[in-house]
Amino acid sequence: MARESGNSMVIPKQGHVIAIDGPAGTGKSSATRRLAERLGFVHVDTGALYRAIGLLALEGRAEGDQVSEIARSAHLEFRRIEGKNPANRIFVNGRDVTDQIRTPEISMAASRVSAIPAVRLALLSLQRRLGCAGNSILEGRDIGTVIFPDADVKFFLTASIDVRVKRRLLELQGSGGVIPSFDELKSQMIERDRGDSSRAVAPLSKAEDAIEIDTGPLTLDQVVQRMLEKVRGCLDGLPQSGVAALKK
Ligand code: DC
């Protein structure tokens, strides 16, 4: 049963929780998706929640308290679409916004709304509920420090700014949208890093007990392999699918 502790909901975990934090472009999403598949864990992309609120705020030209109200009243939901390319889609108030929230404009809007303490509070118990529902991997900025300070395993991914910009450009090229120049994207990412790391509430920072991985010199497979090795060292009593993955 859930119970309230001050402003935050404390919910008992039903399984293992892995926290993955780090700035944009470190390969967090790809590594988290791959690791979740290998372990049979649920993947929760918490950035998508902030992006969805950023989208609603932009559409409604909302500011300050209006954004907080949007975050409090929004119905946010992940739905898993099975099939040839299984994927997690995000719905806000019944609308699938998965593709729409991946633009540089929404990245900046998400970062802005994420600095509003009431927005963070509005999304906090949802993130905990999602993570507590079973074996899960959550990726974000404050998972290991605020959302799940008691996560079973914590990773903090880093990479140089130039590597991160190149990766983000590649992702955007695949999305079919407007592609910014390298320099334009680099200054946006620097601004976003600064905002995410300097905000008053739950800034991006490495938890003391997080395992840091510099993904710059590594391929995605190498990052995932390194994570699997660490998870193997930290977790016991994994579900069968997880155990099978770890033995590979
Ligand atoms: O991971 P992302 O790039 O999709 O995140 C978009 C923005 O959302 C990011 O700039 C900061 C914010 N965010 C956050 O503040 N806390 C999280 N746990 C996840 C994302």
Side-chain angles (χ1 to χ4, degrees), residues 12 22 32 38 40 52 70 75 78 95 110-111 130 143 175 185 228-231 233 235 245 247:
T32 309
R38 294 287 302 271
I70 288 175
H75 179 74
F78 287 104
R95 176 159 66 114
S111 182
L130 291 167
I143 308 302
S175 74
L185 189 61
L228 276 169
E229 278 159 20
K230 297 288 183 189
V231 171
L235 293 188
K247 282 184 178 155

Side-chain angles (χ1 to χ4, degrees), residues 8 21 120 124 128 141-150 154 201-203 207:
S8 56
D21 291 304
R120 303 201 72 80
L124 185 126
R128 289 203 179 140
R141 301 290 187 287
D142 61 342
I143 308 302
T145 50
V146 175
I147 307 297
F148 282 105
D150 61 343
K154 299 179 187 177
V201 180

Side-chain angles (χ1 to χ4, degrees), residues 21-22 24 28-29 45-48 50-51 102 107 110-111 114 120 127 139-143 147 168 192 196 199 202:
D21 291 304
K28 236 175 6 201
S29 291
D45 171 9
T46 65
Y50 289 95
R51 286 173 179 272
R102 293 293 152 198
S107 300
S111 182
S114 76
R120 303 201 72 80
Q127 293 173 78
E139 55 155 314
R141 301 290 187 287
D142 61 342
I143 308 302
I147 307 297
R168 211 10 88 86
R192 191 145 75 99
D196 292 348
R199 64 179 174 231

Side-chain angles (χ1 to χ4, degrees), residues 31-41 43 80 86 137 241 245:
T32 309
R33 199 175 308 118
R34 192 78 70 89
L35 189 64
E37 278 165 17
R38 294 287 302 271
L39 291 170
F41 280 30
H43 170 196
R80 179 146 180 96
I137 308 186
S241 55

Side-chain angles (χ1 to χ4, degrees), residues 160-197:
S160 73
I161 181 73
D162 283 8
V163 165
R164 296 194 285 124
V165 175
K166 273 186 210 146
R167 285 190 183 145
R168 211 10 88 86
L169 271 178
L170 278 175
E171 267 173 38
L172 288 170
Q173 277 155 9
S175 74
V178 181
I179 314 293
S181 69
F182 184 93
D183 289 342
E184 215 179 326
L185 189 61
K186 184 170 173 175
S187 55
Q188 280 180 5
M189 280 177 83
I190 290 172
E191 192 189 327
R192 191 145 75 99
D193 283 353
R194 192 169 349 170
D196 292 348
S197 308

Side-chain angles (χ1 to χ4, degrees), residues 2-3 13 21 24 34 46 48 56 64 68 79 90 100 105 140 160 169 175-176 185 207 213 217 224 246:
R3 66 191 159 84
K13 287 193 289 175
D21 291 304
R34 192 78 70 89
T46 65
L56 294 186
S68 309
R79 291 189 204 162
I90 179 156
Q100 230 178 320
E105 192 190 10
S160 73
L169 271 178
S175 74
L185 189 61
I213 301 178
V224 174
L246 292 179

